[in-house]
mmCIF file of all heavy atoms in Angstrom:
data_model
loop_
_atom_site.group_PDB
_atom_site.id
_atom_site.type_symbol
_atom_site.label_atom_id
_atom_site.label_comp_id
_atom_site.label_asym_id
_atom_site.label_seq_id
_atom_site.Cartn_x
_atom_site.Cartn_y
_atom_site.Cartn_z
ATOM 1 N N CYS A 64 -5.252 20.045 5.562
ATOM 2 C CA CYS A 64 -5.280 21.407 6.103
ATOM 3 C C CYS A 64 -4.276 21.456 7.240
ATOM 4 O O CYS A 64 -4.389 20.700 8.215
ATOM 5 C CB CYS A 64 -6.681 21.762 6.611
ATOM 6 S SG CYS A 64 -6.802 23.488 7.186
ATOM 7 N N ARG A 65 -3.275 22.286 7.079
ATOM 8 C CA ARG A 65 -2.181 22.383 8.048
ATOM 9 C C ARG A 65 -1.577 21.015 8.354
ATOM 10 O O ARG A 65 -1.290 20.670 9.503
ATOM 11 C CB ARG A 65 -2.653 23.071 9.329
ATOM 12 C CG ARG A 65 -3.002 24.550 9.149
ATOM 13 C CD ARG A 65 -3.313 25.228 10.469
ATOM 14 N NE ARG A 65 -3.525 26.649 10.315
ATOM 15 C CZ ARG A 65 -2.572 27.585 10.330
ATOM 16 N NH1 ARG A 65 -1.311 27.216 10.489
ATOM 17 N NH2 ARG A 65 -2.873 28.867 10.201
ATOM 18 N N GLY A 66 -1.413 20.227 7.290
ATOM 19 C CA GLY A 66 -0.743 18.952 7.424
ATOM 20 C C GLY A 66 -1.600 17.790 7.879
ATOM 21 O O GLY A 66 -1.099 16.669 8.029
ATOM 22 N N ARG A 67 -2.894 18.006 8.076
ATOM 23 C CA ARG A 67 -3.775 16.934 8.523
ATOM 24 C C ARG A 67 -4.881 16.707 7.489
ATOM 25 O O ARG A 67 -5.450 17.665 6.956
ATOM 26 C CB ARG A 67 -4.411 17.271 9.884
ATOM 27 C CG ARG A 67 -3.411 17.392 11.024
ATOM 28 C CD ARG A 67 -2.743 16.061 11.336
ATOM 29 N NE ARG A 67 -3.729 15.034 11.661
ATOM 30 C CZ ARG A 67 -4.257 14.891 12.888
ATOM 31 N NH1 ARG A 67 -3.915 15.702 13.877
ATOM 32 N NH2 ARG A 67 -5.139 13.933 13.104
ATOM 33 N N GLY A 68 -5.178 15.434 7.234
ATOM 34 C CA GLY A 68 -6.195 15.102 6.256
ATOM 35 C C GLY A 68 -7.328 14.302 6.851
ATOM 36 O O GLY A 68 -7.590 14.369 8.051
ATOM 37 N N THR A 69 -7.993 13.540 6.017
ATOM 38 C CA THR A 69 -9.071 12.675 6.481
ATOM 39 C C THR A 69 -8.459 11.429 7.134
ATOM 40 O O THR A 69 -7.246 11.251 7.152
ATOM 41 C CB THR A 69 -9.976 12.267 5.309
ATOM 42 O OG1 THR A 69 -9.170 11.710 4.258
ATOM 43 C CG2 THR A 69 -10.735 13.477 4.771
ATOM 44 N N ASP A 70 -9.318 10.573 7.672
ATOM 45 C CA ASP A 70 -8.857 9.368 8.351
ATOM 46 C C ASP A 70 -8.236 8.408 7.328
ATOM 47 O O ASP A 70 -8.944 7.897 6.452
ATOM 48 C CB ASP A 70 -10.053 8.706 9.053
ATOM 49 C CG ASP A 70 -9.651 7.522 9.912
ATOM 50 O OD1 ASP A 70 -8.569 6.945 9.681
ATOM 51 O OD2 ASP A 70 -10.427 7.168 10.823
ATOM 52 N N PRO A 71 -6.939 8.125 7.412
ATOM 53 C CA PRO A 71 -6.309 7.281 6.399
ATOM 54 C C PRO A 71 -6.785 5.834 6.441
ATOM 55 O O PRO A 71 -6.628 5.097 5.459
ATOM 56 C CB PRO A 71 -4.814 7.380 6.732
ATOM 57 C CG PRO A 71 -4.779 7.708 8.192
ATOM 58 C CD PRO A 71 -5.986 8.592 8.433
ATOM 59 N N ASP A 72 -7.376 5.419 7.552
ATOM 60 C CA ASP A 72 -7.829 4.039 7.692
ATOM 61 C C ASP A 72 -9.317 3.867 7.408
ATOM 62 O O ASP A 72 -9.831 2.747 7.450
ATOM 63 C CB ASP A 72 -7.530 3.525 9.109
ATOM 64 C CG ASP A 72 -6.036 3.515 9.407
ATOM 65 O OD1 ASP A 72 -5.259 3.160 8.496
ATOM 66 O OD2 ASP A 72 -5.652 3.868 10.540
ATOM 67 N N ALA A 73 -10.017 4.960 7.135
ATOM 68 C CA ALA A 73 -11.469 4.877 6.921
ATOM 69 C C ALA A 73 -11.780 4.122 5.636
ATOM 70 O O ALA A 73 -11.108 4.284 4.614
ATOM 71 C CB ALA A 73 -12.071 6.276 6.867
ATOM 72 N N LEU A 74 -12.829 3.314 5.691
ATOM 73 C CA LEU A 74 -13.262 2.549 4.531
ATOM 74 C C LEU A 74 -14.247 3.335 3.663
ATOM 75 O O LEU A 74 -14.365 3.085 2.468
ATOM 76 C CB LEU A 74 -13.907 1.244 4.982
ATOM 77 C CG LEU A 74 -12.994 0.308 5.783
ATOM 78 C CD1 LEU A 74 -13.787 -0.862 6.331
ATOM 79 C CD2 LEU A 74 -11.829 -0.172 4.936
ATOM 80 N N VAL A 75 -14.960 4.256 4.282
ATOM 81 C CA VAL A 75 -15.921 5.088 3.563
ATOM 82 C C VAL A 75 -15.255 6.439 3.310
ATOM 83 O O VAL A 75 -14.917 7.160 4.254
ATOM 84 C CB VAL A 75 -17.228 5.260 4.354
ATOM 85 C CG1 VAL A 75 -18.205 6.149 3.580
ATOM 86 C CG2 VAL A 75 -17.854 3.905 4.655
ATOM 87 N N ARG A 76 -15.091 6.774 2.042
ATOM 88 C CA ARG A 76 -14.329 7.965 1.677
ATOM 89 C C ARG A 76 -14.851 8.498 0.352
ATOM 90 O O ARG A 76 -15.155 7.737 -0.561
ATOM 91 C CB ARG A 76 -12.853 7.588 1.572
ATOM 92 C CG ARG A 76 -11.942 8.530 0.847
ATOM 93 C CD ARG A 76 -10.540 7.956 0.713
ATOM 94 N NE ARG A 76 -10.052 7.405 1.960
ATOM 95 C CZ ARG A 76 -9.472 8.114 2.919
ATOM 96 N NH1 ARG A 76 -9.297 9.418 2.753
ATOM 97 N NH2 ARG A 76 -9.064 7.536 4.023
ATOM 98 N N TYR A 77 -14.943 9.829 0.237
ATOM 99 C CA TYR A 77 -15.350 10.429 -1.034
ATOM 100 C C TYR A 77 -14.757 11.822 -1.119
ATOM 101 O O TYR A 77 -14.648 12.541 -0.121
ATOM 102 C CB TYR A 77 -16.876 10.519 -1.136
ATOM 103 C CG TYR A 77 -17.358 10.930 -2.513
ATOM 104 C CD1 TYR A 77 -17.559 9.985 -3.516
ATOM 105 C CD2 TYR A 77 -17.601 12.265 -2.819
ATOM 106 C CE1 TYR A 77 -17.985 10.354 -4.785
ATOM 107 C CE2 TYR A 77 -18.021 12.643 -4.083
ATOM 108 C CZ TYR A 77 -18.221 11.694 -5.061
ATOM 109 O OH TYR A 77 -18.633 12.057 -6.310
ATOM 110 N N GLY A 78 -14.371 12.213 -2.334
ATOM 111 C CA GLY A 78 -13.878 13.555 -2.575
ATOM 112 C C GLY A 78 -14.439 14.109 -3.867
ATOM 113 O O GLY A 78 -14.789 13.352 -4.774
ATOM 114 N N SER A 79 -14.533 15.417 -3.966
ATOM 115 C CA SER A 79 -15.027 16.046 -5.179
ATOM 116 C C SER A 79 -14.536 17.484 -5.214
ATOM 117 O O SER A 79 -13.899 17.957 -4.261
ATOM 118 C CB SER A 79 -16.558 15.982 -5.236
ATOM 119 O OG SER A 79 -17.026 16.306 -6.539
ATOM 120 N N GLU A 80 -14.824 18.181 -6.297
ATOM 121 C CA GLU A 80 -14.379 19.562 -6.435
ATOM 122 C C GLU A 80 -15.322 20.320 -7.345
ATOM 123 O O GLU A 80 -16.102 19.722 -8.089
ATOM 124 C CB GLU A 80 -12.958 19.610 -6.987
ATOM 125 C CG GLU A 80 -12.811 19.044 -8.380
ATOM 126 C CD GLU A 80 -11.369 18.982 -8.848
ATOM 127 O OE1 GLU A 80 -10.493 18.590 -8.046
ATOM 128 O OE2 GLU A 80 -11.116 19.334 -10.013
ATOM 129 N N ILE A 81 -15.230 21.653 -7.278
ATOM 130 C CA ILE A 81 -16.085 22.492 -8.108
ATOM 131 C C ILE A 81 -15.402 23.837 -8.338
ATOM 132 O O ILE A 81 -14.663 24.331 -7.470
ATOM 133 C CB ILE A 81 -17.466 22.692 -7.432
ATOM 134 C CG1 ILE A 81 -18.503 23.209 -8.411
ATOM 135 C CG2 ILE A 81 -17.359 23.611 -6.222
ATOM 136 C CD1 ILE A 81 -19.926 23.130 -7.881
ATOM 137 N N LEU A 82 -15.616 24.423 -9.496
ATOM 138 C CA LEU A 82 -15.146 25.772 -9.789
ATOM 139 C C LEU A 82 -16.292 26.731 -9.503
ATOM 140 O O LEU A 82 -17.388 26.595 -10.059
ATOM 141 C CB LEU A 82 -14.710 25.900 -11.252
ATOM 142 C CG LEU A 82 -14.329 27.317 -11.697
ATOM 143 C CD1 LEU A 82 -13.091 27.802 -10.933
ATOM 144 C CD2 LEU A 82 -14.074 27.361 -13.202
ATOM 145 N N ILE A 83 -16.030 27.703 -8.648
ATOM 146 C CA ILE A 83 -17.041 28.695 -8.276
ATOM 147 C C ILE A 83 -16.601 30.050 -8.817
ATOM 148 O O ILE A 83 -15.484 30.510 -8.546
ATOM 149 C CB ILE A 83 -17.228 28.761 -6.751
ATOM 150 C CG1 ILE A 83 -17.698 27.385 -6.236
ATOM 151 C CG2 ILE A 83 -18.216 29.860 -6.367
ATOM 152 C CD1 ILE A 83 -17.886 27.334 -4.727
ATOM 153 N N GLU A 84 -17.463 30.689 -9.585
ATOM 154 C CA GLU A 84 -17.138 31.969 -10.204
ATOM 155 C C GLU A 84 -17.424 33.093 -9.215
ATOM 156 O O GLU A 84 -18.356 33.874 -9.371
ATOM 157 C CB GLU A 84 -17.929 32.116 -11.498
ATOM 158 C CG GLU A 84 -17.563 31.059 -12.534
ATOM 159 C CD GLU A 84 -18.448 31.096 -13.768
ATOM 160 O OE1 GLU A 84 -19.318 31.972 -13.839
ATOM 161 O OE2 GLU A 84 -18.269 30.234 -14.643
ATOM 162 N N ALA A 85 -16.588 33.143 -8.184
ATOM 163 C CA ALA A 85 -16.710 34.149 -7.125
ATOM 164 C C ALA A 85 -15.348 34.306 -6.471
ATOM 165 O O ALA A 85 -14.520 33.385 -6.521
ATOM 166 C CB ALA A 85 -17.754 33.723 -6.098
ATOM 167 N N PRO A 86 -15.078 35.469 -5.852
ATOM 168 C CA PRO A 86 -13.789 35.667 -5.188
ATOM 169 C C PRO A 86 -13.557 34.644 -4.077
ATOM 170 O O PRO A 86 -14.502 34.204 -3.414
ATOM 171 C CB PRO A 86 -13.903 37.085 -4.617
ATOM 172 C CG PRO A 86 -14.945 37.753 -5.452
ATOM 173 C CD PRO A 86 -15.923 36.674 -5.809
ATOM 174 N N LEU A 87 -12.304 34.294 -3.869
ATOM 175 C CA LEU A 87 -11.955 33.315 -2.856
ATOM 176 C C LEU A 87 -12.500 33.713 -1.485
ATOM 177 O O LEU A 87 -13.034 32.874 -0.751
ATOM 178 C CB LEU A 87 -10.431 33.147 -2.811
ATOM 179 C CG LEU A 87 -9.860 32.010 -1.949
ATOM 180 C CD1 LEU A 87 -8.511 31.579 -2.484
ATOM 181 C CD2 LEU A 87 -9.736 32.410 -0.504
ATOM 182 N N SER A 88 -12.360 34.972 -1.118
ATOM 183 C CA SER A 88 -12.806 35.417 0.206
ATOM 184 C C SER A 88 -14.313 35.244 0.382
ATOM 185 O O SER A 88 -14.793 34.909 1.481
ATOM 186 C CB SER A 88 -12.418 36.881 0.448
ATOM 187 O OG SER A 88 -12.999 37.722 -0.539
ATOM 188 N N THR A 89 -15.071 35.453 -0.688
ATOM 189 C CA THR A 89 -16.530 35.277 -0.622
ATOM 190 C C THR A 89 -16.895 33.818 -0.390
ATOM 191 O O THR A 89 -17.761 33.484 0.418
ATOM 192 C CB THR A 89 -17.181 35.776 -1.916
ATOM 193 O OG1 THR A 89 -16.888 37.168 -2.088
ATOM 194 C CG2 THR A 89 -18.686 35.570 -1.895
ATOM 195 N N VAL A 90 -16.213 32.934 -1.109
ATOM 196 C CA VAL A 90 -16.494 31.502 -0.976
ATOM 197 C C VAL A 90 -16.118 31.006 0.409
ATOM 198 O O VAL A 90 -16.879 30.274 1.064
ATOM 199 C CB VAL A 90 -15.728 30.717 -2.056
ATOM 200 C CG1 VAL A 90 -15.967 29.216 -1.895
ATOM 201 C CG2 VAL A 90 -16.140 31.175 -3.444
ATOM 202 N N PHE A 91 -14.935 31.404 0.875
ATOM 203 C CA PHE A 91 -14.477 30.954 2.190
ATOM 204 C C PHE A 91 -15.404 31.438 3.297
ATOM 205 O O PHE A 91 -15.737 30.689 4.219
ATOM 206 C CB PHE A 91 -13.051 31.449 2.440
ATOM 207 C CG PHE A 91 -12.425 30.892 3.686
ATOM 208 C CD1 PHE A 91 -11.849 29.633 3.680
ATOM 209 C CD2 PHE A 91 -12.406 31.634 4.863
ATOM 210 C CE1 PHE A 91 -11.259 29.112 4.829
ATOM 211 C CE2 PHE A 91 -11.825 31.129 6.014
ATOM 212 C CZ PHE A 91 -11.249 29.869 6.001
ATOM 213 N N LYS A 92 -15.845 32.689 3.196
ATOM 214 C CA LYS A 92 -16.741 33.230 4.220
ATOM 215 C C LYS A 92 -18.072 32.486 4.231
ATOM 216 O O LYS A 92 -18.612 32.166 5.292
ATOM 217 C CB LYS A 92 -16.983 34.721 3.992
ATOM 218 C CG LYS A 92 -17.936 35.347 5.024
ATOM 219 C CD LYS A 92 -18.044 36.841 4.856
ATOM 220 C CE LYS A 92 -19.079 37.433 5.807
ATOM 221 N NZ LYS A 92 -18.801 37.108 7.222
ATOM 222 N N ALA A 93 -18.614 32.189 3.052
ATOM 223 C CA ALA A 93 -19.883 31.469 3.000
ATOM 224 C C ALA A 93 -19.763 30.100 3.657
ATOM 225 O O ALA A 93 -20.644 29.673 4.405
ATOM 226 C CB ALA A 93 -20.335 31.318 1.546
ATOM 227 N N GLN A 94 -18.671 29.418 3.398
ATOM 228 C CA GLN A 94 -18.505 28.072 3.930
ATOM 229 C C GLN A 94 -18.225 28.066 5.424
ATOM 230 O O GLN A 94 -18.664 27.159 6.142
ATOM 231 C CB GLN A 94 -17.378 27.360 3.181
ATOM 232 C CG GLN A 94 -17.063 25.962 3.679
ATOM 233 C CD GLN A 94 -18.218 25.000 3.500
ATOM 234 O OE1 GLN A 94 -19.239 25.321 2.914
ATOM 235 N NE2 GLN A 94 -18.056 23.795 4.013
ATOM 236 N N THR A 95 -17.489 29.045 5.923
ATOM 237 C CA THR A 95 -17.084 29.033 7.333
ATOM 238 C C THR A 95 -18.015 29.832 8.237
ATOM 239 O O THR A 95 -17.866 29.770 9.456
ATOM 240 C CB THR A 95 -15.648 29.558 7.481
ATOM 241 O OG1 THR A 95 -15.559 30.883 6.920
ATOM 242 C CG2 THR A 95 -14.666 28.642 6.764
ATOM 243 N N ASP A 96 -18.971 30.567 7.682
ATOM 244 C CA ASP A 96 -19.996 31.220 8.508
ATOM 245 C C ASP A 96 -21.073 30.177 8.784
ATOM 246 O O ASP A 96 -22.166 30.202 8.214
ATOM 247 C CB ASP A 96 -20.562 32.435 7.772
ATOM 248 C CG ASP A 96 -21.471 33.277 8.649
ATOM 249 O OD1 ASP A 96 -21.663 32.929 9.838
ATOM 250 O OD2 ASP A 96 -22.002 34.287 8.145
ATOM 251 N N VAL A 97 -20.758 29.241 9.666
ATOM 252 C CA VAL A 97 -21.568 28.024 9.813
ATOM 253 C C VAL A 97 -22.984 28.308 10.305
ATOM 254 O O VAL A 97 -23.919 27.554 10.003
ATOM 255 C CB VAL A 97 -20.868 27.005 10.735
ATOM 256 C CG1 VAL A 97 -19.540 26.585 10.126
ATOM 257 C CG2 VAL A 97 -20.663 27.568 12.140
ATOM 258 N N GLU A 98 -23.170 29.377 11.048
ATOM 259 C CA GLU A 98 -24.504 29.676 11.564
ATOM 260 C C GLU A 98 -25.479 30.079 10.452
ATOM 261 O O GLU A 98 -26.693 30.024 10.644
ATOM 262 C CB GLU A 98 -24.423 30.780 12.624
ATOM 263 C CG GLU A 98 -23.748 30.315 13.909
ATOM 264 C CD GLU A 98 -23.671 31.409 14.945
ATOM 265 O OE1 GLU A 98 -23.002 32.432 14.674
ATOM 266 O OE2 GLU A 98 -24.271 31.252 16.031
ATOM 267 N N ARG A 99 -24.955 30.480 9.304
ATOM 268 C CA ARG A 99 -25.806 30.883 8.186
ATOM 269 C C ARG A 99 -26.029 29.757 7.174
ATOM 270 O O ARG A 99 -26.664 29.980 6.147
ATOM 271 C CB ARG A 99 -25.205 32.116 7.485
ATOM 272 C CG ARG A 99 -25.328 33.384 8.307
ATOM 273 C CD ARG A 99 -24.852 34.600 7.515
ATOM 274 N NE ARG A 99 -25.531 34.722 6.233
ATOM 275 C CZ ARG A 99 -26.750 35.234 6.068
ATOM 276 N NH1 ARG A 99 -27.430 35.664 7.122
ATOM 277 N NH2 ARG A 99 -27.281 35.315 4.854
ATOM 278 N N TRP A 100 -25.532 28.568 7.456
ATOM 279 C CA TRP A 100 -25.757 27.466 6.524
ATOM 280 C C TRP A 100 -27.227 27.253 6.160
ATOM 281 O O TRP A 100 -27.542 27.007 4.994
ATOM 282 C CB TRP A 100 -25.194 26.170 7.098
ATOM 283 C CG TRP A 100 -23.709 26.031 6.980
ATOM 284 C CD1 TRP A 100 -22.832 26.918 6.415
ATOM 285 C CD2 TRP A 100 -22.927 24.936 7.444
ATOM 286 N NE1 TRP A 100 -21.545 26.450 6.512
ATOM 287 C CE2 TRP A 100 -21.577 25.237 7.141
ATOM 288 C CE3 TRP A 100 -23.223 23.740 8.098
ATOM 289 C CZ2 TRP A 100 -20.543 24.356 7.461
ATOM 290 C CZ3 TRP A 100 -22.199 22.872 8.416
ATOM 291 C CH2 TRP A 100 -20.869 23.177 8.097
ATOM 292 N N PRO A 101 -28.166 27.345 7.122
ATOM 293 C CA PRO A 101 -29.571 27.110 6.745
ATOM 294 C C PRO A 101 -30.098 28.086 5.697
ATOM 295 O O PRO A 101 -31.077 27.788 5.012
ATOM 296 C CB PRO A 101 -30.321 27.263 8.075
ATOM 297 C CG PRO A 101 -29.311 26.942 9.127
ATOM 298 C CD PRO A 101 -28.017 27.509 8.589
ATOM 299 N N ALA A 102 -29.451 29.247 5.557
ATOM 300 C CA ALA A 102 -29.917 30.247 4.594
ATOM 301 C C ALA A 102 -29.648 29.820 3.153
ATOM 302 O O ALA A 102 -30.340 30.285 2.242
ATOM 303 C CB ALA A 102 -29.248 31.593 4.871
ATOM 304 N N TRP A 103 -28.668 28.932 2.947
ATOM 305 C CA TRP A 103 -28.355 28.551 1.569
ATOM 306 C C TRP A 103 -28.257 27.050 1.342
ATOM 307 O O TRP A 103 -28.077 26.618 0.205
ATOM 308 C CB TRP A 103 -27.073 29.241 1.093
ATOM 309 C CG TRP A 103 -25.834 29.017 1.914
ATOM 310 C CD1 TRP A 103 -25.396 29.787 2.953
ATOM 311 C CD2 TRP A 103 -24.860 27.977 1.750
ATOM 312 N NE1 TRP A 103 -24.217 29.290 3.449
ATOM 313 C CE2 TRP A 103 -23.866 28.182 2.725
ATOM 314 C CE3 TRP A 103 -24.738 26.902 0.867
ATOM 315 C CZ2 TRP A 103 -22.759 27.356 2.858
ATOM 316 C CZ3 TRP A 103 -23.637 26.059 0.999
ATOM 317 C CH2 TRP A 103 -22.662 26.294 1.984
ATOM 318 N N GLN A 104 -28.413 26.270 2.402
ATOM 319 C CA GLN A 104 -28.446 24.813 2.243
ATOM 320 C C GLN A 104 -29.817 24.299 2.675
ATOM 321 O O GLN A 104 -30.146 24.327 3.858
ATOM 322 C CB GLN A 104 -27.378 24.133 3.100
ATOM 323 C CG GLN A 104 -25.956 24.352 2.642
ATOM 324 C CD GLN A 104 -25.012 23.337 3.240
ATOM 325 O OE1 GLN A 104 -25.025 22.163 2.886
ATOM 326 N NE2 GLN A 104 -24.166 23.794 4.155
ATOM 327 N N ASP A 105 -30.606 23.824 1.720
ATOM 328 C CA ASP A 105 -31.932 23.307 2.050
ATOM 329 C C ASP A 105 -31.866 22.138 3.022
ATOM 330 O O ASP A 105 -32.801 21.900 3.785
ATOM 331 C CB ASP A 105 -32.662 22.855 0.776
ATOM 332 C CG ASP A 105 -33.142 24.026 -0.063
ATOM 333 O OD1 ASP A 105 -33.239 25.139 0.487
ATOM 334 O OD2 ASP A 105 -33.411 23.825 -1.257
ATOM 335 N N ALA A 106 -30.772 21.377 2.977
ATOM 336 C CA ALA A 106 -30.669 20.182 3.805
ATOM 337 C C ALA A 106 -30.258 20.476 5.240
ATOM 338 O O ALA A 106 -30.196 19.567 6.056
ATOM 339 C CB ALA A 106 -29.678 19.203 3.188
ATOM 340 N N VAL A 107 -29.977 21.732 5.574
ATOM 341 C CA VAL A 107 -29.592 22.084 6.945
ATOM 342 C C VAL A 107 -30.751 22.818 7.610
ATOM 343 O O VAL A 107 -31.141 23.909 7.187
ATOM 344 C CB VAL A 107 -28.322 22.959 6.961
ATOM 345 C CG1 VAL A 107 -27.971 23.363 8.391
ATOM 346 C CG2 VAL A 107 -27.155 22.203 6.327
ATOM 347 N N LEU A 108 -31.315 22.206 8.659
ATOM 348 C CA LEU A 108 -32.429 22.827 9.378
ATOM 349 C C LEU A 108 -31.951 23.912 10.322
ATOM 350 O O LEU A 108 -32.491 25.019 10.344
ATOM 351 C CB LEU A 108 -33.184 21.764 10.180
ATOM 352 C CG LEU A 108 -34.041 20.766 9.414
ATOM 353 C CD1 LEU A 108 -34.653 19.769 10.386
ATOM 354 C CD2 LEU A 108 -35.131 21.491 8.631
ATOM 355 N N THR A 109 -30.958 23.586 11.148
ATOM 356 C CA THR A 109 -30.427 24.523 12.127
ATOM 357 C C THR A 109 -28.911 24.376 12.181
ATOM 358 O O THR A 109 -28.369 23.322 11.844
ATOM 359 C CB THR A 109 -30.983 24.252 13.541
ATOM 360 O OG1 THR A 109 -30.539 22.947 13.990
ATOM 361 C CG2 THR A 109 -32.501 24.287 13.550
ATOM 362 N N SER A 110 -28.247 25.428 12.617
ATOM 363 C CA SER A 110 -26.813 25.367 12.828
ATOM 364 C C SER A 110 -26.450 26.398 13.883
ATOM 365 O O SER A 110 -26.796 27.579 13.747
ATOM 366 C CB SER A 110 -26.047 25.647 11.530
ATOM 367 O OG SER A 110 -24.652 25.508 11.721
ATOM 368 N N GLU A 111 -25.783 25.958 14.938
ATOM 369 C CA GLU A 111 -25.438 26.870 16.027
ATOM 370 C C GLU A 111 -23.990 26.677 16.463
ATOM 371 O O GLU A 111 -23.487 25.565 16.504
ATOM 372 C CB GLU A 111 -26.359 26.655 17.234
ATOM 373 C CG GLU A 111 -26.282 25.254 17.824
ATOM 374 C CD GLU A 111 -27.097 25.104 19.088
ATOM 375 O OE1 GLU A 111 -27.269 26.099 19.802
ATOM 376 O OE2 GLU A 111 -27.553 23.974 19.364
ATOM 377 N N ARG A 112 -23.329 27.787 16.746
ATOM 378 C CA ARG A 112 -21.995 27.737 17.310
ATOM 379 C C ARG A 112 -22.087 27.352 18.784
ATOM 380 O O ARG A 112 -22.955 27.815 19.505
ATOM 381 C CB ARG A 112 -21.322 29.100 17.173
ATOM 382 C CG ARG A 112 -20.821 29.423 15.788
ATOM 383 C CD ARG A 112 -19.518 28.712 15.455
ATOM 384 N NE ARG A 112 -18.455 29.049 16.393
ATOM 385 C CZ ARG A 112 -17.691 30.139 16.293
ATOM 386 N NH1 ARG A 112 -17.860 30.991 15.276
ATOM 387 N NH2 ARG A 112 -16.746 30.378 17.177
ATOM 388 N N LEU A 113 -21.161 26.549 19.242
ATOM 389 C CA LEU A 113 -21.097 26.164 20.646
ATOM 390 C C LEU A 113 -20.037 26.946 21.388
ATOM 391 O O LEU A 113 -19.782 26.695 22.569
ATOM 392 C CB LEU A 113 -20.836 24.652 20.764
ATOM 393 C CG LEU A 113 -21.857 23.756 20.052
ATOM 394 C CD1 LEU A 113 -21.509 22.289 20.243
ATOM 395 C CD2 LEU A 113 -23.272 24.045 20.544
ATOM 396 N N ASP A 114 -19.416 27.913 20.685
ATOM 397 C CA ASP A 114 -18.479 28.835 21.308
ATOM 398 C C ASP A 114 -18.683 30.197 20.658
ATOM 399 O O ASP A 114 -19.623 30.381 19.883
ATOM 400 C CB ASP A 114 -17.038 28.338 21.163
ATOM 401 C CG ASP A 114 -16.614 28.240 19.698
ATOM 402 O OD1 ASP A 114 -17.498 28.063 18.833
ATOM 403 O OD2 ASP A 114 -15.408 28.344 19.420
ATOM 404 N N HIS A 115 -17.848 31.134 20.953
ATOM 405 C CA HIS A 115 -18.018 32.495 20.427
ATOM 406 C C HIS A 115 -16.730 32.972 19.765
ATOM 407 O O HIS A 115 -15.659 32.393 19.949
ATOM 408 C CB HIS A 115 -18.411 33.451 21.557
ATOM 409 C CG HIS A 115 -19.665 33.060 22.272
ATOM 410 N ND1 HIS A 115 -20.917 33.252 21.743
ATOM 411 C CD2 HIS A 115 -19.842 32.465 23.483
ATOM 412 C CE1 HIS A 115 -21.831 32.799 22.582
ATOM 413 N NE2 HIS A 115 -21.213 32.319 23.652
ATOM 414 N N GLY A 116 -16.872 34.047 18.991
ATOM 415 C CA GLY A 116 -15.718 34.632 18.335
ATOM 416 C C GLY A 116 -15.449 34.019 16.984
ATOM 417 O O GLY A 116 -16.239 33.218 16.473
ATOM 418 N N PRO A 117 -14.323 34.398 16.365
ATOM 419 C CA PRO A 117 -13.989 33.868 15.035
ATOM 420 C C PRO A 117 -13.877 32.347 15.068
ATOM 421 O O PRO A 117 -13.451 31.769 16.077
ATOM 422 C CB PRO A 117 -12.632 34.519 14.732
ATOM 423 C CG PRO A 117 -12.568 35.718 15.638
ATOM 424 C CD PRO A 117 -13.314 35.341 16.872
ATOM 425 N N LEU A 118 -14.258 31.714 13.962
ATOM 426 C CA LEU A 118 -14.107 30.271 13.862
ATOM 427 C C LEU A 118 -12.611 29.948 13.875
ATOM 428 O O LEU A 118 -11.833 30.513 13.109
ATOM 429 C CB LEU A 118 -14.751 29.772 12.564
ATOM 430 C CG LEU A 118 -15.090 28.289 12.494
ATOM 431 C CD1 LEU A 118 -16.211 27.935 13.472
ATOM 432 C CD2 LEU A 118 -15.508 27.899 11.071
ATOM 433 N N ARG A 119 -12.210 29.044 14.746
ATOM 434 C CA ARG A 119 -10.801 28.740 14.949
ATOM 435 C C ARG A 119 -10.647 27.279 15.373
ATOM 436 O O ARG A 119 -11.638 26.602 15.625
ATOM 437 C CB ARG A 119 -10.216 29.650 16.028
ATOM 438 C CG ARG A 119 -10.938 29.515 17.368
ATOM 439 C CD ARG A 119 -10.599 30.666 18.303
ATOM 440 N NE ARG A 119 -11.267 30.514 19.592
ATOM 441 C CZ ARG A 119 -12.527 30.883 19.824
ATOM 442 N NH1 ARG A 119 -13.258 31.425 18.859
ATOM 443 N NH2 ARG A 119 -13.060 30.725 21.024
ATOM 444 N N ALA A 120 -9.409 26.817 15.458
ATOM 445 C CA ALA A 120 -9.169 25.466 15.944
ATOM 446 C C ALA A 120 -9.759 25.333 17.345
ATOM 447 O O ALA A 120 -9.521 26.175 18.217
ATOM 448 C CB ALA A 120 -7.670 25.170 15.962
#
Side-chain angles (χ1 to χ4, degrees):
C64 184
R65 293 186 175 273
R67 296 294 303 277
T69 53
D70 186 338
D72 298 321
L74 299 173
V75 179
R76 163 185 313 276
Y77 189 86
S79 193
E80 63 186 43
I81 196 167
L82 174 64
I83 299 179
E84 297 174 2
L87 189 154
S88 59
T89 300
V90 178
F91 188 82
K92 179 174 175 56
Q94 178 64 6
T95 57
D96 189 0
V97 298
E98 290 180 297
R99 288 186 54 80
W100 282 359
W103 57 269
Q104 290 198 71
D105 286 341
V107 178
L108 288 178
T109 64
S110 183
E111 61 175 331
R112 284 283 301 276
L113 303 180
D114 62 334
H115 302 284
L118 199 67
R119 59 195 181 277

